[in-house]
Amino acid sequence: MKYSLMVDAYEKIEATTKRLEMRDLLANLFQKTPKNIISEVTYLTQGKLYPDYMGIEIGLAEKLIVRALSLSSGKTEKTVDNAFRKKGDLGEVAATLLGKKTQQTLMSRTLSVSDVYKIFDKIAQSTGSGSIDVKLRFLSSLMNDASPIEAKYIIRMALGKLRLGVADMTILEALASAFTGDVNNKDRLERAYNISSDLGLVAKLVATSGIEGITELNVEVGRPIRPMLAERLSDPTEILEKLNGKAAVEYKYDGLRMQVHISPKISSIFSRRLENITEQFPDVIKYVKKSMKPKEAIFEGECVAIDAITTDFLPFQMISQRRGRKHEIKDMVEQIPVKLFLFDLLYSNGIECTQMSYQNRRKILTEAIKPNDWISLSEQIITTNTEEIEKFMNRAVSDGCEGLILKSTDPNSTYRAGARGWVWIKYKRAYKSELADTVDLVVVGGFYGRGKRGGSYGALLLAAYNKVNGKFQTVCKCGSGFTDNDLKELPSKLESSTLSQRSSQVDSKISADVWFNPYLVLEVSGDEITLSPVHTACENELRKNSGLAIRFPRFTGRYRLDKSPEDASTTKEILGMYNNQLKKISI
Ligand code: ATP
């Protein structure tokens, strides 16, 4: 298949903001795709080569791309760089510069999708000394054969910033429509995606074996399952009502979520956003292997940094230092010991457990693990009584936890991969006159600082994620809570996400000094949620021309590097928090 066919579809997708139109354009592209390359086309459309959990990224540095563009256009690096500063998008620069070359010199051969995929794969896989030259050669060879429009997308892909603005759910709908003729089959494809975290695999299965192929997909050790998530409430009576009067109440540990996959051949740990973090936690692999009874299993738990002498829990910031490390891992293991608290079991010795009730999974988990100083099961009580919940909450907080997670004990309390639902409800310690919980918001814009904040940002424009239309919608301008060090680091932290104009994924009525690609997620607390004429989250849902805003937002100091922008708090959650506030006022 010609690469130009994909690029034509991309141009049309980029030109529309309507999700259904995007979906139909994609479905049309998938229908035209030969089945043997459907995975490649799916990954490329996501701006990737492989599923995220494999950790293979293209992400070439801007400098290298400027050099490649200079080579293929015959312009100096300075000219390319100046054009970049003006346009803010190297993809556009490539299209313009190469557009000026004559067609003959430019298109020495017609690029196919497989050519593009294979060359990017070589770029991504080349490592070690001399790899920069190799990458540069491969990229230049692609550029020599590319038309100006193809060059635009090749360059964006090389930067790891394709930014078509197509959400995973839209891709699933397009696949359902293209290969089963019915968009409503998306739910079955979504289940397959949730247990495999691999859209390319789902695409291949549905394209080659239809809906039956999808239904036969099973959980597999080594392939992460998208995590089940909790709703939130701040009143135990209400929580018990939601859970039919009875709950498994557990400590909510404040650490890193881990999905641990072990078999005789595989030892892997995946983070909440399904990155492979095995290398940073060799100690955790050792503890799990030592204490597990089945030969192969998939566990879930929260890993917390602990004080080696007192065994007290240490703040989240401690374990997050270990997560980011690529070097000196041995030292870090000694300096920051960790303990894993297991709370779920998704697979054990050939048996998939996700469709079992929570109490059955917990029973198998209890039998599967021999606890020791470094690994144990999450603290749990089963109760129907709110006073007991409050007592347990006090115990959890004095033991250094954030609060509790209350889980359904119903027979249908299956593991809902990839879903946030009322089967798990988090209950955090509430602060008077403050929001009962923090929210995780995405940085979409910045405002230049003055005075003491000169050279940095005075405030950031923050957004929640609207899952329905895939947009990031603003909820506040936040300038509080940043330490001097945060302020010093913000410009460099945000530099690579800077855009020349507002991203098509961002809905904002406010005009920022600088726009960012939605990427960085911050934890924010605030006083209350109010109606707002200037913010776009939940706009027109409660009142015409009004959205919702967080009043007096403060950065808590926690960068949520474990969350992708799509994992940030959703506009639906903000609406839920607003409605909860109203209920409390009326009581
Ligand atoms: P938060 O920002 O509050 O950590 P989150 O958005 O990461 O939440 P939620 O679904 O809202 O995820 O809350 C569940 C999280 O709580 C899990 O992702 C997990 O990391 C953590 N956790 C701690 N203890 C438990 C437990 N006993 N059972 C389930 N999850 C737990």
Side-chain angles (χ1 to χ4, degrees):
M1 181 165 93
K2 287 186 195 158
Y3 184 56
S4 59
L5 208 79
M6 270 184 88
V7 162
D8 280 348
Y10 287 176
E11 285 282 283
K12 290 181 191 141
I13 290 170
E14 221 187 43
T16 179
T17 50
K18 296 193 184 110
R19 204 183 68 81
L20 296 187
E21 216 169 287
M22 280 184 189
R23 178 194 74 194
D24 295 343
L25 287 163
L26 264 183
N28 193 277
L29 173 68
F30 289 145
Q31 265 166 346
K32 287 186 195 150
T33 302
K35 292 185 175 159
N36 63 335
I37 57 161
I38 189 77
S39 304
E40 283 86 343
V41 167
T42 308
Y43 295 132
L44 287 172
T45 303
Q46 288 185 289
K48 301 170 185 168
L49 296 172
Y50 294 95
D52 280 344
Y53 71 82
M54 293 182 69
I56 301 172
E57 286 173 10
I58 312 166
L60 295 182
E62 274 164 10
K63 265 195 182 153
L64 194 71
I65 299 207
V66 168
R67 213 157 21 135
L69 274 178
S70 151
L71 284 177
S72 42
S73 67
K75 304 277 178 204
T76 62
E77 284 186 36
K78 193 152 190 286
T79 311
V80 178
D81 205 42
N82 284 342
F84 174 38
R85 302 282 148 224
K86 258 196 216 146
K87 282 194 192 290
D89 175 356
L90 272 171
E92 293 286 357
V93 173
T96 314
L97 289 181
L98 298 197
K100 292 191 179 135
K101 288 184 76 178
T102 65
Q103 293 296 83
Q104 288 91 330
T105 49
L106 209 68
M107 308 212 337
S108 22
R109 68 178 172 144
T110 308
L111 280 178
S112 72
V113 173
S114 302
D115 292 333
V116 174
Y117 185 90
K118 277 186 197 140
I119 294 184
F120 270 127
D121 199 21
K122 285 185 188 155
I123 291 176
Q125 310 265 7
S126 59
T127 51
S129 68
S131 65
I132 298 283
D133 284 340
V134 175
K135 285 173 196 273
L136 189 64
R137 254 203 330 270
F138 280 129
L139 187 61
S140 302
S141 80
L142 266 182
M143 297 307 298
N144 287 337
D145 294 332
S147 72
I149 295 298
E150 287 173 338
K152 171 166 128 186
Y153 291 99
I154 287 173
I155 289 299
R156 287 188 185 168
M157 183 84 190
L159 281 164
K161 295 177 180 170
L162 189 68
R163 292 187 201 139
L164 281 183
V166 195
D168 290 352
M169 291 308 139
T170 309
I171 297 184
L172 285 171
E173 279 183 18
L175 288 169
S177 157
F179 299 114
T180 75
D182 182 359
V183 174
N184 294 323
N185 279 325
K186 177 213 132 199
D187 289 352
R188 294 168 73 181
L189 269 67
E190 192 178 340
R191 181 200 160 261
Y193 176 44
N194 285 336
I195 61 167
S196 67
S197 313
D198 185 344
L199 271 186
L201 175 69
V202 174
K204 191 164 125 198
L205 283 175
V206 72
T208 52
S209 343
I211 211 73
E212 291 77 33
I214 283 293
T215 317
E216 278 164 22
L217 183 76
N218 287 320
V219 164
E220 204 176 282
V221 177
R223 220 165 43 196
I225 297 164
R226 298 182 72 224
M228 173 167 176
L229 299 170
E231 283 287 353
R232 69 179 100 209
L233 278 176
S234 51
D235 174 15
T237 310
E238 220 176 310
I239 298 177
L240 276 183
E241 266 166 31
K242 282 267 187 208
L243 298 174
N244 289 332
K246 184 173 163 189
V249 187
E250 294 180 13
Y251 275 17
K252 185 177 193 303
Y253 300 93
D254 191 13
L256 279 186
R257 185 171 185 157
M258 288 187 177
Q259 201 176 90
V260 188
H261 291 232
I262 305 280
S263 75
K265 287 198 187 132
I266 293 167
S267 303
S268 299
I269 305 176
F270 298 103
S271 69
R272 185 190 184 287
R273 46 188 304 189
L274 307 181
E275 292 150 324
N276 193 321
I277 51 170
T278 317
E279 264 180 45
Q280 287 92 310
F281 294 94
D283 42 348
V284 173
I285 292 285
K286 196 172 87 193
Y287 306 146
V288 177
K289 276 188 164 169
K290 209 165 158 203
S291 83
M292 69 187 264
K293 294 179 198 161
K295 260 204 345 247
E296 48 172 9
I298 302 176
F299 299 99
E300 260 202 333
E302 188 87 353
C303 192
V304 188
I306 55 168
D307 183 311
I309 298 163
T310 61
T311 72
D312 285 347
F313 295 159
L314 297 177
F316 167 81
Q317 279 77 1
M318 295 300 286
I319 190 160
S320 70
Q321 283 183 43
R322 279 196 54 179
R323 182 183 176 277
R325 280 304 161 110
K326 292 247 151 62
H327 308 289
E328 299 142 13
I329 289 167
K330 216 168 144 233
D331 293 346
M332 290 306 273
V333 168
E334 274 167 28
Q335 283 163 25
I336 308 177
V338 296
K339 179 164 180 175
L340 181 64
F341 292 91
L342 293 173
F343 54 74
D344 223 315
L345 177 87
L346 310 182
Y347 175 89
S348 174
N349 278 351
I351 298 170
E352 183 179 329
C353 308
T354 56
Q355 295 309 304
M356 296 178 183
S357 70
Y358 182 51
Q359 281 190 305
N360 279 345
R361 301 202 303 280
R362 177 87 183 189
K363 187 165 168 272
I364 305 180
L365 173 64
T366 312
E367 287 158 4
I369 283 289
K370 230 170 93 200
N372 60 37
D373 285 349
W374 307 105
I375 184 162
S376 78
L377 264 56
S378 52
E379 284 283 326
Q380 187 196 71
I381 57 166
I382 308 274
T383 185
T384 53
N385 181 313
T386 52
E387 264 173 43
E388 257 188 90
I389 295 174
E390 289 296 8
K391 263 197 219 149
F392 198 56
M393 169 66 119
N394 289 340
R395 226 180 89 195
V397 171
S398 68
D399 280 351
C401 291
E402 279 188 298
L404 303 173
I405 298 236
L406 289 90
K407 299 181 179 176
S408 164
T409 55
D410 284 352
N412 70 352
S413 55
T414 53
Y415 187 90
R416 319 270 160 96
R420 193 182 287 282
W422 295 102
V423 183
W424 287 5
I425 304 176
K426 58 184 169 181
Y427 172 37
K428 290 202 204 168
R429 187 170 42 169
Y431 299 94
K432 268 194 200 137
S433 82
E434 291 192 356
L435 290 187
D437 199 356
T438 54
V439 284
D440 299 318
L441 301 175
V442 185
V443 182
V444 296
F447 303 89
Y448 294 127
R450 295 199 189 89
K452 197 174 149 227
R453 294 193 176 188
S456 181
Y457 293 105
L460 298 175
L461 184 61
L462 302 179
Y465 182 55
N466 182 331
K467 256 197 163 150
V468 180
N469 64 11
K471 300 262 183 188
F472 293 90
Q473 299 178 316
T474 68
V475 276
C476 62
K477 247 168 104 171
C478 177
S480 302
F482 297 97
T483 62
D484 288 349
N485 199 36
D486 288 328
L487 290 173
K488 208 170 101 199
E489 286 180 350
L490 271 179
S492 57
K493 262 202 168 75
L494 288 163
E495 195 184 355
S496 66
S497 323
T498 311
L499 300 173
S500 56
Q501 57 194 24
R502 178 164 55 81
S503 152
S504 61
Q505 281 183 285
V506 171
D507 254 357
S508 175
K509 288 189 198 166
I510 296 176
S511 172
D513 293 337
V514 183
W515 290 107
F516 301 115
N517 190 33
Y519 167 72
L520 186 66
V521 182
L522 307 184
E523 188 182 78
V524 170
S525 64
D527 274 11
E528 59 174 335
I529 298 173
T530 56
L531 285 165
S532 153
V534 294
H535 287 289
T536 52
C538 311
E539 195 175 16
N540 298 326
E541 287 190 36
L542 294 155
R543 186 185 295 167
K544 199 156 178 269
N545 297 329
S546 265
L548 286 178
I550 296 178
R551 249 163 70 88
F552 303 124
R554 287 177 296 283
F555 174 46
T556 64
R558 184 183 278 200
Y559 294 99
R560 292 299 307 249
L561 301 180
D562 57 331
K563 286 195 169 182
S564 71
E566 288 81 10
D567 291 327
S569 300
T570 58
T571 49
K572 194 171 152 211
E573 283 175 78
I574 304 282
L575 182 63
M577 291 168 90
Y578 177 79
N579 286 333
N580 264 331
Q581 249 176 219
L582 292 187
K583 260 192 246 160
K584 271 202 196 137
I585 294 167
S586 61
I587 289 168

